[in-house]
């Protein structure tokens, strides 16, 4: 029978498979056809896996045997910085050329046990460093809503894969906005979970105190479903939250705070402003209370972020040296092997952040930069703690603008960094945040999606799901 | 202001081989980024030390439940560009 992919969700898929409307094998074949048709112009996927049929048959058989799998047959796209055993993984970089993962990331084994199918690996800014996927060594991912525009980044491939109808859901990683900003640009839902709620084992590290893996999908319900499968304590990640962190039930959220002073400092596009005002109105109509709040230090979050993140990234990327895996350039001495491999293997943004990280960590500058940024991070977290005594969630736009043109910001790194102005605060504080597609922007004849961001206290993703469903009108 | 020589020094510490032109470009770009992030000086000032307990601390795995020696050796070596008799092979150091 024909499968209506427009209305299909991970949730509704479970009922369809049980009724026998179609098989996982038929579903996966449909997705493969869509990817073959659309990917050449969008470049969301770097590779479509060649074992789709056998994986689909495996899940069909499990369903036939009566297995209860929460994500049975769900076709997912995986950001190419998450390891799947035996598959290539590039992190969008030349430096990992030819490398195949030697183990599964914890999120991958959790999803597989839940019955999910991995369609392929998706494009990203090199080592997740960027806000547009223009830093990928494998070409830019184009926005499915306007091919002249970026899909956002760094998880642009995952967001575009869902937006173009080439996956029902996807995984990305978020260090400063890398799930939420592309979700906003592509018109899908994207969740950055609480730091430590989802294991980082098998995620290629960028900023270890900021990184978190999270889901994309077409609806809040599907994002919730994916999150509940991937979260949980993992002994392989020492920063993983302890068992029971999500045990108790909480009262539904009622109040939403808006940091008006912060919004004014973000130079918001008029279309984003109007979408934001309309979201505010919708929440009021649906019985929620809106309260003005202050986050006094949040306007300095981006500055603190661009100290902490490169410092951690420069340390993490020291392991790519041409000796143990990936690219290796020949040299006369060991030092030359290192220098040539890293000089040629890393792209310009990665080199920029490594040098910046080395600078802020160097003797004589450590206290001035890293020390102060760490202190500021503490102030920002205190701001949130105070705000969450008054409100259940905080609302901002996800990004100050809708998707920008390809090439618009590539010559000015600082302008690119400003795309993350509303998202980095949640990473610095470790709190969960979601981007919801709401409203649209008309720019040069294209209708583009706009994203609304909601943030909640640690481990209170439940509030984000309730509010997200209320805003988007999901059951 | 970011000097080209500073970039060269940092590139050497970071084991990155860069051309003169790349160092030149990076000096300009890093100059504006460092100028931007320096705004935190006015916010935190000399108070850096009194923010209370640091938000980030190192979390280390307990050193126990070690796997059997050699269990993953072959798998890991399979990914190495150059190896010999169960070891990574590198250029002569001394």
């Amino acid at each position: 029978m024909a499968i209506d992919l427009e209305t299909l969700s991970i949730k509704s898929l479970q009922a369809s498979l049980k009724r026998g409307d179609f098989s996982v094998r038929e579903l996966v074949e449909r997705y493969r056809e869509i990817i073959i048709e659309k990917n050449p112009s969008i470049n969301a996927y770097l590779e479509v896996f060649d074992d789709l049929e056998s994986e689909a048959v495996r899940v069909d058989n499990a369903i036939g045997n009566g297995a209860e799998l929460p994500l049975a047959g769900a076709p997912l796209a995986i950001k190419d910085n998450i390891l799947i055993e035996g598959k290539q993984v590039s992190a969008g970089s030349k430096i990992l050329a030819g490398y195949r993962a030697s183990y599964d990331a914890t999120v991958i084994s959790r999803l597989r046990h839940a019955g999910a199918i991995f369609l392929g690996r998706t494009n990203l800014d090199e080592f997740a460093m960027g806000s547009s996927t223009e830093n990928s060594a494998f070409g830019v991912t184009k926005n499915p809503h306007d091919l002249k525009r970026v899909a956002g980044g760094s998880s642009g491939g995952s967001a575009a894969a869902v937006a173009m109808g080439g996956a029902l859901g996807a995984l990305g990683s978020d260090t400063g906005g890398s799930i939420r900003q592309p979700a906003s640009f592509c018109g899908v839902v994207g969740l950055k979970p609480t730091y430590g709620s989802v294991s980082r084992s098998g995620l290629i590290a960028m900023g270890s105190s900021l990184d978190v893996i999270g889901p994309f999908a077409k609806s809040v319900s599907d994002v919730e479903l994916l999150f509940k499968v991937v979260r949980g304590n993992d002994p392989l990640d020492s920063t993983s939250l302890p068992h029971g962190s999500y045990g108790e039930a909480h009262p539904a959220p009622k109040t939403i705070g808006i940091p008006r002073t912060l919004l004014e400092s973000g130079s918001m596009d008029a279309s984003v402003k109007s979408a934001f005002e309309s979201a505010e109105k919708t929440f009021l109509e649906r019985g929620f209370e809106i309260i003005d709040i202050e986050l006094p230090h949040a306007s300095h979050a981006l500055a603190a972020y661009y100290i902490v993140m490169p410092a951690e990234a420069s340390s993490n990327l020291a392991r790519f040296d041409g000796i143990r895996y990936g690219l290796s350039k020949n040299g006369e001495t060991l030092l030359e092997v290192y220098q040539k491999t890293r000089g040629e293997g890393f792209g310009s943004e990665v080199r920029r952040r490594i040098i910046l990280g080395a600078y802020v960590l160097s003797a004589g500058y450590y206290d001035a930069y890293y020390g102060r940024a760490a202190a500021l991070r503490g102030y920002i977290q205190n701001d949130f703690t105070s705000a969450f005594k008054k409100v259940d969630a905080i609302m901002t736009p996800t990004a100050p603008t809708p998707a920008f043109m390809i090439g618009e910001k590539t010559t000015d790194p600082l302008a690119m960094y400003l795309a993350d102005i509303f998202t980095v605060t949640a990473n610095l504080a470790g709190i969960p945040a979601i981007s919801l597609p709401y409203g649209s922007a008309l720019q040069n004849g294209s209708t583009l999606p706009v994203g609304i961001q909601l943030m909640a206290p640690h481990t209170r993703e439940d509030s984000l799901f309730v509010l997200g469903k209320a805003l988007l009108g999901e059951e | 202001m970011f000097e080209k020589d500073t970039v060269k020094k940092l590139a050497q510490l970071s084991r990155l081989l860069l051309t003169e032109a790349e160092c030149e470009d990076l000096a300009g770009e890093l100059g504006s980024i460092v100028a931007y992030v320096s705004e935190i000086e006015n916010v935190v000032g000399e108070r850096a030390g009194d923010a209370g307990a640091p938000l980030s601390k190192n979390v280390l795995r307990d050193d126990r439940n070690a796997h059997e020696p050699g269990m993953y050796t072959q798998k890991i070596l399979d990914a190495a560009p150059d190896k010999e008799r169960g070891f990574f092979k590198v250029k002569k150091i001394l």
Side-chain angles (χ1 to χ4, degrees), chain A residues 85 102 238 300 302-303 307 323-325 330-331 334-335 339 342 351-352 355 369 372 376-377 381 428, chain B residues 14-15 17 22 29-30 34 36-37 39-41 43 45-46 48 55-56 59 75 79-81 88 91:
Chain A
E85 187 174 351
S102 53
S238 54
H300 305 290
L302 196 67
I307 293 170
I323 304 298
R324 289 161 298 167
Y325 34 69
N330 202 10
L334 182 62
L335 181 65
Q339 289 177 325
R342 291 166 62 80
R351 290 184 298 201
R352 195 177 290 129
I355 303 253
Y369 293 108
R372 281 196 174 112
L376 186 51
R377 202 174 172 181
Q381 199 180 40
L428 288 172
Chain B
S14 311
R15 307 286 188 253
L17 192 66
E22 285 168 338
E29 291 159 358
L30 291 170
V34 167
Y36 173 75
V37 301
E39 72 174 48
I40 66 162
E41 220 173 288
V43 191
E46 298 309 313
L55 187 65
S56 303
V59 188
K75 223 172 183 178
F88 295 117
K91 296 279 170 201

Side-chain angles (χ1 to χ4, degrees), chain A residues 79 81 122-133 141 152-158 172-175 177-179 181-182 206 216 420:
Chain A
K79 186 179 185 179
N81 61 352
T122 55
N123 198 16
L124 68 158
D125 286 292
E126 185 176 3
F127 286 101
M129 296 182 185
S131 309
S132 66
T133 74
T141 294
S154 67
S155 316
S158 288
S173 63
D174 193 313
T175 306
S178 280
I179 290 174
Q181 186 256 21
M206 167 153 73
F216 290 91
D420 297 335

Side-chain angles (χ1 to χ4, degrees), chain A residues 3 5 8-11 13-14 17 22-32 34-35 45 49 52 55-56 59 71-78 111 114-120 122 158 161-162 165-171 216-218 222 226:
Chain A
I3 309 171
L5 295 183
L8 190 71
S9 68
I10 298 177
K11 223 173 151 185
L13 170 63
Q14 304 311 311
L17 291 172
F22 48 81
S23 66
V24 177
R25 194 173 156 186
E26 286 165 317
L27 178 74
V28 166
E29 180 53 26
R30 282 283 285 124
Y31 275 97
R32 209 177 61 87
I34 292 170
I35 298 166
Y45 282 94
F49 295 140
L52 294 184
E55 285 294 292
V59 177
L71 299 178
L76 305 180
I78 305 296
L111 289 172
I117 303 283
F118 307 122
L119 295 172
T122 55
S158 288
V162 176
L168 262 186
L171 284 188
F216 290 91
K218 294 191 287 184
D222 278 0
L226 290 168

Side-chain angles (χ1 to χ4, degrees), chain A residues 28-285:
Chain A
V28 166
E29 180 53 26
R30 282 283 285 124
Y31 275 97
R32 209 177 61 87
E33 285 165 11
I34 292 170
I35 298 166
I36 288 169
E37 180 202 328
K38 295 190 174 170
N39 201 56
S41 59
I42 292 175
N43 195 32
Y45 282 94
L46 295 176
E47 180 188 358
V48 179
F49 295 140
D50 57 11
D51 57 358
L52 294 184
E53 197 175 333
S54 58
E55 285 294 292
V57 168
R58 182 178 62 83
V59 177
D60 274 329
N61 289 341
I63 297 170
N65 292 332
E68 286 292 332
L69 303 168
L71 299 178
L76 305 180
I78 305 296
K79 186 179 185 179
D80 198 22
N81 61 352
I82 298 171
L83 274 52
I84 306 178
E85 187 174 351
K87 306 285 188 205
Q88 281 187 52
V89 57
S90 74
S93 180
K94 287 190 292 187
I95 208 162
L96 273 170
Y99 177 65
R100 282 180 188 274
S102 53
Y103 64 100
D104 272 340
T106 299
V107 289
I108 293 299
S109 40
R110 282 177 186 258
L111 289 172
R112 189 179 282 129
H113 283 129
I117 303 283
F118 307 122
L119 295 172
R121 51 194 179 95
T122 55
N123 198 16
L124 68 158
D125 286 292
E126 185 176 3
F127 286 101
M129 296 182 185
S131 309
S132 66
T133 74
E134 290 167 295
N135 296 331
S136 169
F138 307 103
V140 63
T141 294
K142 292 167 187 159
N143 193 309
H145 297 270
D146 177 353
L147 298 180
K148 295 188 296 301
R149 291 174 189 269
V150 301
S154 67
S155 316
S158 288
V162 176
M164 76 181 193
L168 262 186
L171 284 188
S173 63
D174 193 313
T175 306
S178 280
I179 290 174
R180 291 159 287 159
Q181 186 256 21
S184 159
F185 282 12
C186 291
V188 297
V189 180
L191 173 74
K192 171 236 173 289
T194 302
Y195 178 77
S197 63
V198 180
S199 170
R200 291 182 294 115
S201 175
L203 170 70
I204 296 177
M206 167 153 73
S208 301
S209 75
L210 305 158
D211 294 342
V212 63
I213 295 174
F216 290 91
K218 294 191 287 184
S219 67
V220 176
S221 311
D222 278 0
V223 157
E224 181 177 10
L225 202 56
L226 290 168
F227 171 63
K228 285 183 173 164
V229 170
V230 294
R231 78 173 178 204
N233 178 266
D234 178 14
L236 297 176
D237 173 0
S238 54
T239 58
S240 162
L241 295 179
H243 288 291
S245 300
Y246 284 89
E248 51 186 306
H250 296 282
K254 292 188 179 66
T255 51
I256 299 167
I258 298 184
R260 308 242 179 235
T261 322
L262 174 68
L263 299 192
E264 282 156 25
S265 70
S267 40
M268 246 191 289
D269 189 83
S271 60
V272 173
K273 201 160 179 241
S274 106
F276 184 78
E277 284 162 0
S278 133
E280 215 180 308
K281 220 173 119 224
T282 303
F283 274 124
L284 282 172
E285 282 165 9

Side-chain angles (χ1 to χ4, degrees), chain A residues 270-465:
Chain A
S271 60
V272 173
K273 201 160 179 241
S274 106
F276 184 78
E277 284 162 0
S278 133
E280 215 180 308
K281 220 173 119 224
T282 303
F283 274 124
L284 282 172
E285 282 165 9
R286 299 196 175 151
F288 295 94
E289 194 185 347
I290 302 273
I291 298 172
D292 288 359
I293 55 149
E294 294 291 333
L295 295 170
H297 298 92
S299 60
H300 305 290
L302 196 67
Y305 175 76
Y306 271 94
I307 293 170
V308 174
M309 176 273 298
E312 295 183 4
S314 72
S315 314
N316 274 325
L317 268 57
R319 71 188 61 159
F320 300 97
D321 57 6
I323 304 298
R324 289 161 298 167
Y325 34 69
L327 182 80
S328 186
K329 289 280 169 188
N330 202 10
E332 291 294 310
T333 62
L334 182 62
L335 181 65
E336 227 180 86
V337 172
Y338 292 155
Q339 289 177 325
K340 279 189 174 172
T341 302
R342 291 166 62 80
E344 292 175 36
F346 288 135
S348 58
E349 180 62 24
V350 175
R351 290 184 298 201
R352 195 177 290 129
R353 294 197 196 186
I354 290 174
I355 303 253
L356 182 59
Y359 176 73
V360 299
L361 289 176
S362 55
Y365 293 106
Y366 181 92
D367 288 333
Y369 293 108
Y370 195 80
R372 281 196 174 112
L376 186 51
R377 202 174 172 181
Y379 300 156
I380 289 168
Q381 199 180 40
N382 291 341
D383 286 355
F384 277 110
T385 307
S386 314
F388 286 132
K389 282 183 184 143
K390 298 187 202 113
V391 295
D392 298 318
I394 294 171
M395 180 164 78
T396 71
T398 307
T401 66
F404 45 85
M405 301 294 281
I406 292 169
E408 192 180 323
K409 295 179 198 279
T410 39
T411 50
D412 183 356
L414 196 53
M416 185 74 87
Y417 297 172
L418 288 168
D420 297 335
I421 190 123
F422 294 131
T423 47
V424 294
T425 44
N427 298 82
L428 288 172
I431 57 174
I434 197 166
S435 179
L436 305 158
Y438 196 78
S440 59
L442 191 65
Q443 304 232 326
N444 301 329
S446 298
T447 307
L448 303 170
V450 175
I452 299 296
Q453 174 179 240
L454 289 166
M455 299 180 266
H458 291 105
T459 70
R460 293 306 308 279
E461 282 83 354
D462 60 302
S463 292
L464 301 179
F465 299 143

